[in-house]
Amino acid sequence: MTTEAKNKPKVAFFDFTSCEGCQLNKLNLENDLLDILEHVDIVEFREAMDDKAEEYDIAFIEGSISTPSCVERIHDIRRRAKMLIALGACATQGGINAMKNLQPIEEVREAVYGDEKYRFPTLPAMPVSAIVKVDYKIDGCPMSMPEFLKVLKSLLAGQEPIKPDSAVCVECKLKENECVFDKGMVCLGPITRGGCDAICPSFGQFCTGCRGLISNPNKNAMLEILTEHGISLDEAKKRILLFNSYDHSQSMPK
Amino acid sequence: MKKYQLNKKQLPSFIDHLKKQGTVFAPHKKGDASYSFAKVVESDSVILEYNRTLNSIKKYFLPPRELLLSYSRKDNSYKKGTIGKEKKIFLGVHSYDMKAVLKLDYNFTEGNPEENYLLRRRNSSFIGVSFIPDEFHFSQSVGMPVHDTDGFDIYLEKNDDGYTVKIITEKGEKLIKEFNGLCDALDISSNHIQFQNKLKYNYNRLPEVFEQSWNAEVWEEVAKRCVGCGTCNLVCPTCYCFDVEDNMDLSLQNGTRDRSWDGCMLNDFAAVAGGENFRKSLADRQRHRIFRKFRYITYITGEPWCVGCGRCTAYCTAGISIVDIVNQLCDEYEQKYLNRPVEQSGLNLEGL
Amino acid sequence: MSIAISDIKTQELYSPDISEIIAIKRFTEKEKWFEIRLPEGRSLGHQPGQFVQVSLFGAGEAPISVTSSPTKEGSFELCVREVGMLTKIFHNLKVGSTIGIRGPYGKGFDVESFKGKDILIIGGGIGIVPLRSLINYVIDNRKDYGRLIILYGAKTPDELLYPDDLKLWDKSNDIEYHITVDQGTPEWKGNTGVITTLIPGLDLDLPNTITAVVGPPIMYKFVLMSLKTKRIPDKNIYLSLERRMKCGVGKCGHCQINHSYICQDGPVYHYPELKHLQEAI
C-alpha cells in the first residue's frame, strides 16, 4: 500500500537528556523501516536526516528533561505537535538520569561540571510528562521495538494503543521460561510492567525494571521477596529505584 | 488389567515405538533445574523422573498464545486459524496433570463446546508415570493419589528395574501391541506413596469451610505479601481464563485476532471500559483465585478445581502457599464456627 | 469426571457475522444509535436484555446491549456510548460500513413469564438501552401485559437518549412515563433529583408488578432499597449487570462473579439469584 506523500502523517523524533540509544534502536528496524516510511514522512530525526517542518502529526521524544533549556524546547515541540509520545525510560519516567535527584542538586552539578558549573544550569531529571501533556509512553531502556511498532501501527490505523498493565512474569510464563530466581538471581519482573516479551529473562538475565512498575505496585512485598532471596534491604531499594526513582523514591518504604 | 515389565534400558526403544504412531510429547530438562513438556526428537533425552514441569500439558490444548482469526480490514473478511489433526501421544504425565485435563474438558465442553480446544484435544493418548511427591505436591488431599490412573491409556509405575506397564484402556493396548521386548510383570505389589504436604481437611470437607471464608482474615494477610504478578494463575493446570487482542501487520490492512492466557490476579482483569474495576485489591483477587479452585466450580460439579500440583506455590517468588492459605481458612473456620479443633474426618483418604 | 471428547459436537464460537450498518443517529455527545443488518437480513433472534459481541477488526470486540425489540424484523439496533478505543472507532463508522457480530448472548428478560403482569421499568443513564428493547416488546405485544410504567433518569437533560421514543412514551395514554434528571437546566421543566425520588409516589399493584432495573453499579443499591421500602417482593425484581467480557460464551473468565458467568447466566438476573452472590452489587 502506498500513501501519497501529501497525506502521510509528519513524524518527528527529538532527543533530550539521554544516550540516544533508543534512536539508534529504531534504525535497527531494518526491513520494517521501509514499510514504515510507506506510511509516514519523517521530518526531523537527528540520527537519520536533517529536515525541518513547522508542525508534526506525531512527535516522538527521547530523553529526560534536565535543564531550563529542555523545558523551553519541549514546550515548543508540544505546541507544534498534534500528538506527543515519550520514547524510552528517560522520557517516560526519568530513567537512570533521575537517580541524580536522590542527591542535592548543587553537589551533583559540582561533581559533573566542577568549576565550570555556573555555565551549566541544571534541574532535577524529569520525565517529559512532568512538563507537558504526553499522549502515550513507550517504555524500556532501550525502548521496546515491538511496542514501538505496535503503537505506531495503532496510531496510523486511527486507534488508541493499549498500555499493558501486567508484570513481566506473565510474558515469562507464556514462554515457559525457567524463573531467573530459580537460577539464583533476583529479578524485578514481578512488579515491572510487561510488554517487552520478557526479553531479558528469556536470555537468562534478570529484569532491571527498565519499563517502570505496574499500577499499584506492592513495593513492600517486592522488597520482602528481594531480601528473602539474599540481598540487603538497601540494595533491594536501590535495584527498584535504578529506573524508577522519579516515580517511586518518595513512596519507597523507609 | 494387563501388566508388563519395561526395563530401564528398553525405554528409548519404547519411545521410538510410540513415535511411529504419532507425535510424542514428554518431559525434558529445561534451564538449570526445571522440566518442560516438549516434542520428543531424541528418545533418550526424555526424562521420566521429575518433580513437575513448568507448564502442564494444558499448553497443547489451550496454547499460551493462539491465533483465532486472521482478518483483512480492507473488506472485513477473515478466516479461522488452522488446527492440526495429528495424533498426539503424551508420555510421562503425572496423575494430577491428567486430572487437570479432565477438568478442562468440562470447562471447554460445558455450555458451548469450543472447537479450538476440542480439535486439539481429540486424537490424544496419555501415558502416565508415577512420581515421588516433593514438598509442594498435595494432590492426595484433593482426591488424587500418585497412582490414580483416571484418564490414562497406559500407566508406568516405577520399580527398581524400570517400570510396571499397566494397560488401562483399549487405546493403550493398541499403542503397545506391536512393541516386542516387554517382559512379564514382576511380582511386586504397588506401593502406596506418602505425601509430605497436605491440606488440613480432605477436599470433601472443604465446602463447609469455604461457605464461611468470604470474610476470612487470610485474604488481607496474603495480599500484604503478594505482588500480583499472576504467576500462580499462569502456571495453574486448571486455570483457563484468556485475553483476546487484535494485532495488525505493517500494511495496516491485515492482522490477526490472538488469544493468550490471562490471570485473575492481574490489575485489569476485572476492569471495564470507563474505569470501574470490580476486583481492585489484591485481597479480593487472591480470594477469587482460591475460590475458583475450591468453591465456585466446586459448587456446581462437586469437585475441587485444584489438583494439588503445587506449581502456584513452587513458582511464587513471594513464597505464598496455597496449602497454607487453605489450612489457615480451616483454622479460622474452626475457631469461629466450631470453637474446637476438628478431628480428621472419617472420609479422609490419607493413609488408605 | 470424564467426558467423551470425540462424541461432542464442537461449535465455532469466535467467528463473527459480517453485518452492515444501515442507519446512524447521534443522541448525545457520547451516545450514538446504529441500525444493523445481519447477512441476508437474517433475524438476530434475541430476547430483550441480551447482548451481542461487536467485532471491529484491528480494535477487537466488546459486548453491547441490543436496544431494539425482537419484534422488529430485518435489522436490529445498538446504542453505543463512547468510553474507550473500540467504541470511539465504532462512533466513526458510517452508514454502509460493516462490522462483525457474534451472538445474541446471555439471558435476557423472561418476557413469557411476565405475561399478564404490570411492568415497571427503572432505567438510569445508558441502562435505558437494554430496557428499551423490553419496552418496545411490551408495546408491540400490548394486550399480553398489564400497565407499563417507565421511570427514566439521566444526569442532565443533555444526556437523555431516544428523543423520539421519549415523546412517544410521553404522549401515549397506555404508558405511565416519569422522567427525572439529577441536575436540571433553566429550560428543563420536568423533575429533578435522582431516580429513586420517582419510586415512592408510584401506585402499584404489588404482587402483580414485575420490576426491571438497569443502570450504573452505584444505582442498584439505592433503587433496591427504595423498592424494598415500597414492599416490592424480591421475586418480582430483575436486573442486569455489566462486567468485562472477552468471549461472551462462558470461557474467558473475565465476567465471573462467584459461580456465575454474566455472559451465560446474565446479564439479566432474577434478583433472588443474585442477592446471595458476593461482589454482584
Side-chain angles (χ1 to χ4, degrees):
Chain A
M1 196 189 83
T2 318
T3 323
E4 288 299 312
K6 59 180 190 304
N7 296 330
K8 286 189 194 176
K10 289 196 179 77
V11 172
F13 296 88
F14 300 94
D15 66 301
F16 284 74
T17 311
S18 69
C19 68
E20 303 190 8
C22 295
Q23 295 213 13
L24 286 172
N25 206 5
K26 279 191 296 290
L27 295 178
N28 284 339
L29 280 167
E30 295 175 354
N31 296 340
D32 291 338
L33 196 58
L34 292 175
D35 286 330
I36 293 171
L37 291 173
E38 289 279 308
H39 299 294
V40 302
D41 262 347
I42 297 181
V43 294
E44 195 145 355
F45 192 166
R46 209 183 100 188
E47 296 281 345
M49 56 197 301
D50 199 20
D51 201 353
K52 295 224 175 195
E54 283 301 299
E55 290 200 327
Y56 317 110
D57 292 292
I58 308 174
F60 286 101
I61 311 295
E62 180 193 345
S64 59
I65 307 297
S66 65
T67 66
S69 66
C70 290
V71 175
E72 210 173 298
R73 201 170 142 233
I74 193 69
H75 276 301
D76 177 52
I77 295 168
R78 178 71 263 194
R79 269 193 294 275
R80 291 191 283 146
K82 287 190 189 134
M83 184 171 286
L84 188 142
I85 296 177
L87 270 193
C90 295
T92 58
Q93 49 185 339
I96 288 193
N97 301 345
M99 277 199 298
K100 84 168 187 185
N101 309 351
L102 303 176
Q103 295 155 50
I105 191 128
E106 281 308 310
E107 279 176 29
V108 176
R109 197 174 166 198
E110 186 146 346
V112 176
Y113 301 112
D115 293 344
E116 300 280 297
K117 71 170 185 178
Y118 66 93
R119 294 176 52 202
F120 299 97
T122 187
L123 293 171
M126 291 171 275
V128 177
S129 59
I131 307 295
V132 296
K133 181 177 170 254
V134 168
D135 298 294
Y136 199 78
K137 295 178 177 182
I138 297 167
D139 293 307
C141 180
M143 60 119 179
S144 151
M145 289 314 298
E147 192 179 19
F148 173 75
L149 279 177
K150 208 168 170 174
V151 168
L152 193 63
K153 285 185 289 188
S154 289
L155 295 174
L156 292 174
Q159 303 179 347
E160 285 166 29
I162 298 164
K163 190 87 198 147
D165 194 13
S166 50
V168 172
C169 290
V170 171
E171 285 154 350
C172 260
K173 297 302 168 283
L174 293 183
K175 295 170 96 173
E176 209 177 357
N177 288 338
E178 181 180 53
C179 184
V180 295
F181 279 94
D182 291 337
K183 295 182 194 287
M185 293 182 239
V186 295
C187 175
L188 291 183
I191 53 165
T192 298
R193 190 184 290 276
C196 52
D197 208 23
I199 184 161
C200 296
S202 299
F203 287 98
Q205 202 36 265
F206 57 86
C207 169
T208 56
C210 76
R211 295 177 50 76
L213 307 186
I214 52 172
S215 316
N216 321 309
N218 188 347
K219 292 197 281 277
N220 271 323
M222 191 66 222
L223 288 172
E224 205 168 310
I225 291 170
L226 295 173
T227 52
E228 281 288 312
H229 284 82
I231 66 171
S232 71
L233 184 61
D234 193 45
E235 166 76 7
K237 287 180 189 172
K238 281 183 183 160
R239 291 230 187 179
I240 295 177
L241 292 181
L242 178 64
F243 282 97
N244 297 292
S245 56
Y246 184 84
D247 287 332
H248 295 283
S249 63
Q250 298 299 320
S251 58
M252 188 56 82
K254 292 284 171 271
Chain B
M1 186 201 304
K2 282 189 195 154
K3 282 196 221 172
Y4 305 95
Q5 172 67 18
L6 179 74
N7 290 326
K8 213 168 193 169
K9 63 178 194 308
Q10 294 175 295
L11 197 60
S13 60
F14 176 61
I15 297 172
D16 287 338
H17 175 74
L18 294 174
K19 275 159 75 179
K20 283 183 232 151
Q21 302 176 69
T23 310
V24 182
F25 300 92
H28 291 70
K29 196 151 194 290
K30 173 134 189 181
D32 293 352
S34 306
Y35 303 95
S36 164
F37 267 90
K39 182 177 163 177
V40 179
V41 180
E42 304 289 341
S43 296
D44 53 10
S45 63
V46 170
I47 294 177
L48 290 185
E49 287 166 55
Y50 67 99
N51 52 3
R52 62 180 58 70
T53 50
L54 291 163
N55 282 336
S56 72
I57 52 173
K58 167 180 89 175
K59 67 181 179 180
Y60 294 105
F61 311 127
L62 179 68
R65 289 188 169 114
E66 173 183 7
L67 185 153
L68 293 180
L69 308 171
S70 45
Y71 58 80
S72 161
R73 296 192 336 139
K74 213 170 202 162
D75 56 358
N76 260 354
S77 62
Y78 65 90
K79 58 176 198 291
K80 289 191 293 178
T82 47
I83 295 170
K85 288 182 178 158
E86 52 169 3
K87 188 173 167 189
K88 296 184 280 287
I89 301 165
F90 295 93
L91 169 68
V93 180
H94 289 171
S95 56
Y96 52 81
D97 272 352
M98 187 65 240
K99 271 289 182 19
V101 172
L102 302 183
K103 289 181 191 301
L104 290 178
D105 287 350
Y106 170 83
N107 295 121
F108 281 94
T109 56
E110 197 267 336
N112 303 296
E114 193 202 276
E115 185 179 66
N116 299 47
Y117 177 87
L118 285 168
L119 291 183
R120 288 195 174 85
R121 172 69 176 79
R122 282 177 186 163
N123 292 321
S124 300
S125 311
F126 300 93
I127 302 175
V129 71
S130 58
F131 64 99
I132 306 295
D134 67 7
E135 71 268 39
F136 299 116
H137 293 107
F138 62 101
S139 41
Q140 174 114 12
S141 300
V142 283
M144 298 153 212
V146 171
H147 299 314
D148 192 330
T149 58
D150 195 8
F152 290 135
D153 298 295
I154 296 173
Y155 182 66
L156 307 177
E157 185 178 340
K158 181 92 179 58
N159 59 40
D160 291 342
D161 302 323
Y163 296 92
T164 306
V165 181
K166 297 181 176 174
I167 312 298
I168 315 290
T169 65
E170 249 174 70
K171 208 155 116 192
E173 176 89 54
K174 273 187 204 150
L175 276 177
I176 210 155
K177 204 166 72 184
E178 290 178 6
F179 179 63
N180 301 318
L182 286 178
C183 316
D184 291 340
L186 303 179
D187 188 20
I188 42 171
S189 56
S190 172
N191 56 331
H192 176 74
I193 299 174
Q194 291 291 342
F195 282 73
Q196 336 163 22
N197 196 17
K198 298 172 191 189
L199 295 180
K200 184 168 176 173
Y201 290 178
N202 193 50
Y203 71 94
N204 45 25
R205 276 210 68 189
L206 291 176
E208 61 181 275
V209 175
F210 275 85
E211 182 101 20
Q212 307 297 342
S213 294
W214 186 263
N215 294 315
E217 286 157 21
V218 182
W219 310 124
E220 288 296 341
E221 283 168 29
V222 173
K224 282 189 196 134
R225 296 159 55 208
C226 172
V227 289
C229 70
T231 292
C232 49
N233 298 138
L234 294 151
V235 298
C236 176
T238 65
C239 271
Y240 56 90
C241 290
F242 58 80
D243 190 22
V244 180
E245 188 186 35
D246 283 11
N247 291 298
M248 264 181 294
D249 67 20
L250 260 171
S251 70
L252 304 181
Q253 291 301 318
N254 303 319
T256 53
R257 176 162 293 167
D258 306 304
R259 78 164 160 190
S260 56
W261 293 352
D262 205 346
C264 59
M265 289 305 301
L266 302 173
N267 265 326
D268 53 3
F269 185 82
V272 293
E276 181 113 12
N277 190 338
F278 292 94
R279 269 189 299 278
K280 260 191 227 113
S281 75
L282 284 167
D284 287 353
R285 288 183 228 154
Q286 279 285 1
R287 177 175 57 203
H288 186 74
R289 169 173 87 95
I290 303 290
F291 268 55
R292 278 200 56 123
K293 299 299 153 197
F294 292 100
R295 179 154 167 86
Y296 297 154
I297 308 180
T298 308
Y299 176 87
I300 295 164
T301 63
E303 290 185 13
W305 231 245
C306 166
V307 294
C309 68
R311 285 186 180 90
C312 58
T313 308
Y315 299 132
C316 177
T317 53
I320 294 168
S321 153
I322 193 168
V323 168
D324 289 352
I325 293 174
V326 174
N327 287 350
Q328 280 181 57
L329 291 174
C330 294
D331 287 343
E332 244 186 279
Y333 170 70
E334 283 176 12
Q335 284 157 17
K336 285 189 185 157
Y337 299 95
L338 302 180
N339 294 318
R340 61 187 167 81
V342 172
E343 301 293 315
Q344 289 271 320
S345 129
L347 291 165
N348 198 316
L349 295 179
E350 290 292 341
L352 279 185
Chain C
M1 165 178 315
S2 262
I3 293 162
I5 287 298
S6 37
D7 301 342
I8 289 171
K9 199 174 168 331
T10 62
Q11 289 177 21
E12 224 178 87
L13 299 176
Y14 307 118
S15 303
D17 286 323
I18 304 302
S19 311
E20 191 188 348
I21 298 176
I22 57 174
I24 302 176
K25 270 187 242 173
R26 177 177 281 285
F27 284 155
T28 72
E29 209 176 297
K30 282 185 296 184
E31 281 97 3
K32 270 187 168 181
W33 168 97
F34 298 86
E35 186 174 3
I36 291 155
R37 190 175 174 275
L38 286 170
E40 289 97 41
R42 195 157 53 71
S43 149
L44 182 65
H46 67 290
Q47 279 177 312
Q50 280 189 301
F51 67 97
V52 290
Q53 284 287 114
V54 168
S55 176
L56 302 179
F57 291 131
E61 293 189 306
I64 312 268
S65 292
V66 180
T67 195
S68 54
S69 160
T71 43
K72 179 188 167 104
E73 279 169 25
S75 65
F76 68 95
E77 301 162 19
L78 302 174
C79 177
V80 182
R81 171 177 284 185
E82 191 187 316
V83 281
M85 191 253 287
L86 187 135
T87 48
K88 186 176 176 181
I89 291 167
F90 200 164
H91 268 222
N92 287 332
L93 295 177
K94 307 273 180 282
V95 169
S97 303
T98 55
I99 59 172
I101 296 289
R102 294 195 289 122
Y105 291 133
K107 289 207 176 71
F109 293 102
D110 185 3
V111 285
E112 278 304 304
S113 75
F114 296 177
K115 276 188 177 163
K117 303 271 172 63
D118 294 350
I119 311 289
L120 168 60
I121 303 276
I122 303 178
I126 50 170
I128 199 70
V129 169
L131 288 170
R132 181 194 177 247
S133 173
L134 176 62
I135 293 169
N136 283 352
Y137 183 85
V138 172
I139 292 175
D140 289 344
N141 295 278
R142 200 63 195 88
K143 61 179 188 333
D144 291 340
Y145 299 91
R147 293 162 65 193
L148 175 60
I149 310 157
I150 302 172
L151 311 186
Y152 176 30
K155 277 195 191 125
T156 64
D158 291 344
E159 292 189 18
L160 291 167
L161 306 175
Y162 306 103
D164 299 342
D165 294 65
L166 300 191
K167 275 180 216 146
L168 210 75
W169 300 344
D170 195 27
K171 274 191 215 148
S172 167
N173 298 325
D174 212 13
I175 300 170
E176 297 161 53
Y177 168 65
H178 306 278
I179 187 167
T180 184
V181 294
D182 296 356
Q183 286 173 321
T185 53
E187 302 80 48
W188 178 251
K189 300 284 179 274
N191 296 311
T192 48
V194 291
I195 194 153
T196 44
T197 56
L198 298 176
I199 297 172
L202 295 174
D203 179 22
L204 301 172
D205 173 12
L206 283 183
N208 197 39
T209 303
I210 294 290
T211 307
V213 193
V214 188
I218 183 79
M219 191 188 96
Y220 287 116
K221 264 179 214 148
F222 297 103
V223 166
L224 287 167
M225 275 194 302
S226 299
L227 294 179
K228 206 176 175 85
T229 315
K230 196 77 189 165
R231 295 180 184 284
I232 293 181
D234 292 348
K235 69 174 174 55
N236 286 358
I237 302 173
Y238 292 79
L239 35 82
S240 179
L241 298 183
E242 184 206 6
R243 287 295 188 277
R244 185 185 184 93
M245 285 177 195
K246 283 289 178 179
C247 73
V249 292
K251 305 294 175 217
C252 78
H254 287 271
C255 69
Q256 189 181 24
I257 42 167
N258 283 232
H259 57 264
S260 189
Y261 275 67
I262 291 189
C263 70
Q264 301 295 290
D265 306 330
V268 176
Y269 284 87
H270 191 196
Y271 181 45
E273 288 168 37
L274 202 59
K275 111 175 138 167
H276 303 295
L277 298 185
Q278 296 101 334
E279 287 185 343
I281 294 171

